[in-house]
């Protein structure tokens, strides 16, 4: 039998789609949902399933930002052939995204046994949710929100790209939360920080999904749950992206901070009482 049923795949697809790009930790929420459904969170096939359905969320980003991505990719190819085009910001930005993805790939490969093992604990998720909330609140207060997307630099991209490692090592910290917080500390405004987080997530999350596909298919998860979970995450993530961009244009991240703390405390309570296994 498949380690995950189609019904469970629908639930996990919704969770993934809602939380992947919100700064609340999709990994943390997936692990909580898996625990509540008695799905072993450290099972190799389950870890693979979680990574694969992220591709559905990434596909939503590709569709939502298609015009922007097309513009950036076109500028990159033009720059490869024409030196004059290399001064264009979009050409430089494409290279920055590539360079900023390298650190998380190297750490992900080197630390995979830890990431799939001890660091997959729900205790780590709970602690990371709470600690990450403090970081997010501080970043929102510290940031001057004065720089837009056109003001981003190579240094910005590298700092934000490297911050993804926090979420990789400490599930619950949130990739979106780490990248947005870092961008805010660098004085980007909330919309620019959010969009930069989206663009930097595309190669990292797509690569993770492809890398984990063999584990998801080969060790206990059937094709049907994978397809269903991925499609559901795509639809839900598309709506989540549209909502988030409108929200951050007018609001601070305080609502996410409060929510993360509440979830983290709740999770600690569930673990402490034995309602959930670690």
């Amino acid at each position: 039998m498949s380690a995950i049923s189609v019904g469970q795949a629908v639930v996990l697809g919704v969770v993934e789609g809602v939380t992947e790009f919100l700064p609340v930790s999709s990994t943390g929420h997936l692990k909580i949902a898996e625990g509540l459904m008695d799905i072993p969170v450290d099972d190799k096939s389950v870890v693979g399933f979680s990574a694969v359905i992220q591709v559905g969320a990434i596909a939503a980003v590709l569709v939502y930002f298609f015009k922007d991505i097309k513009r950036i990719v076109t500028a990159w190819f033009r720059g490869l052939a024409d030196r004059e085009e290399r001064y264009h910001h979009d050409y430089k930005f494409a290279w920055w995204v590539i360079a900023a993805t390298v650190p998380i790939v190297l750490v992900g490969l080197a630390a995979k046994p830890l990431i799939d093992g001890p660091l997959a604990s729900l205790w780590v998720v709970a602690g990371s949710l709470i600690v990450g909330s403090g970081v997010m609140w501080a970043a929102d207060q510290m940031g001057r929100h004065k720089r837009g997307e056109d003001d981003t630099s190579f240094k910005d991209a590298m700092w934000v790209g490297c911050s993804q490692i926090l979420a990789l090592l400490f599930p619950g910290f949130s990739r979106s939360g780490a990248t947005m917080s870092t961008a805010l500390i660098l004085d980007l405004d909330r919309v620019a920080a959010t969009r930069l987080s989206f663009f930097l997530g595309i190669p990292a999350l797509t690569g993770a999904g492809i890398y984990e596909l063999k584990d998801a298919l080969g060790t206990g998860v059937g094709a049907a749950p994978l397809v269903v979970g991925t499609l559901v995450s795509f639809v839900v993530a598309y709506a989540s992206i549209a909502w988030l961009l409108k929200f951050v244009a007018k609001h601070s991240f305080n609502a996410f901070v409060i929510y993360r703390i509440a979830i983290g405390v709740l999770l600690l309570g569930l673990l402490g009482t034995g309602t959930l296994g670690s």
Side-chain angles (χ1 to χ4, degrees):
M1 289 183 62
S2 171
I4 297 175
S5 69
V6 172
Q8 291 171 330
V10 171
V11 173
L12 295 177
V14 171
V15 172
E16 165 64 23
V18 170
T19 61
E20 180 58 57
F21 301 110
L22 301 186
V24 297
S25 175
S26 62
T27 301
H29 280 74
L30 282 172
K31 290 184 180 299
I32 293 171
E34 289 163 0
L36 290 173
M37 292 189 291
D38 293 324
I39 299 172
V41 299
D42 56 350
D43 185 278
K44 195 174 183 180
S45 64
V46 175
V47 173
F49 174 86
S50 298
V52 171
I53 64 172
Q54 286 179 332
V55 176
I58 291 299
V61 173
L62 295 175
V63 173
Y64 193 91
F65 291 108
F66 177 76
K67 291 183 179 179
D68 296 297
I69 295 170
K70 179 182 178 181
R71 187 189 73 245
I72 293 168
V73 172
T74 300
W76 185 70
F77 277 110
R78 286 177 177 171
L80 292 177
D82 186 346
R83 178 174 296 184
E84 293 297 321
E85 293 289 336
R86 295 173 191 172
Y87 295 99
H88 197 287
H89 183 270
D90 286 338
Y91 171 79
K92 297 177 182 178
F93 185 77
W95 277 116
W96 297 346
V97 170
I98 294 171
T101 302
V102 173
I104 192 174
V105 171
L106 295 178
V107 173
L109 292 174
K112 194 173 189 302
L114 287 174
I115 295 167
D116 293 346
L119 293 178
S121 167
L122 288 176
W123 288 102
V124 175
V125 171
S128 299
L129 276 165
I130 295 171
V131 172
S133 299
V135 173
M136 185 181 298
W137 179 84
D140 207 10
Q141 300 303 309
M142 291 168 55
R144 289 178 286 178
H145 315 293
K146 66 177 185 177
R147 300 170 56 210
E149 188 174 349
D150 292 338
D151 299 319
T152 56
S153 65
F154 173 69
K155 182 182 74 172
D156 296 328
M158 289 304 297
W159 275 112
V160 175
C162 287
S163 70
Q164 296 179 109
I165 295 171
L166 285 171
L168 184 68
L169 296 178
F170 305 105
F173 202 97
S174 167
R175 191 201 65 83
S176 295
T179 52
M180 291 178 191
S181 295
T182 302
L184 290 174
I185 292 173
L186 295 170
D187 293 331
L188 270 67
D189 63 45
R190 294 187 183 98
V191 173
T194 302
R195 285 173 60 87
L196 182 58
S197 175
F198 285 147
F199 289 129
L200 286 174
I202 292 172
L205 295 177
T206 301
I210 294 172
Y211 182 82
E212 297 285 359
L213 181 60
K214 65 181 186 303
D215 291 336
L217 287 176
T219 57
V221 176
L226 274 175
V227 172
V228 170
T230 302
L231 288 176
V232 171
S233 72
F234 168 80
V235 174
V236 177
Y238 189 92
S240 180
I241 293 167
W243 177 84
L244 180 61
L245 287 171
K246 292 180 180 178
F247 180 86
V248 298
K250 299 179 180 180
H251 301 86
S252 72
F253 288 114
N254 288 343
F256 296 119
V257 170
I258 295 171
Y259 174 79
R260 287 170 57 105
I261 293 174
I263 290 295
V265 171
L266 174 62
L267 181 55
L268 286 175
L270 293 173
L271 291 169
T273 58
T275 305
L276 279 180
S278 60

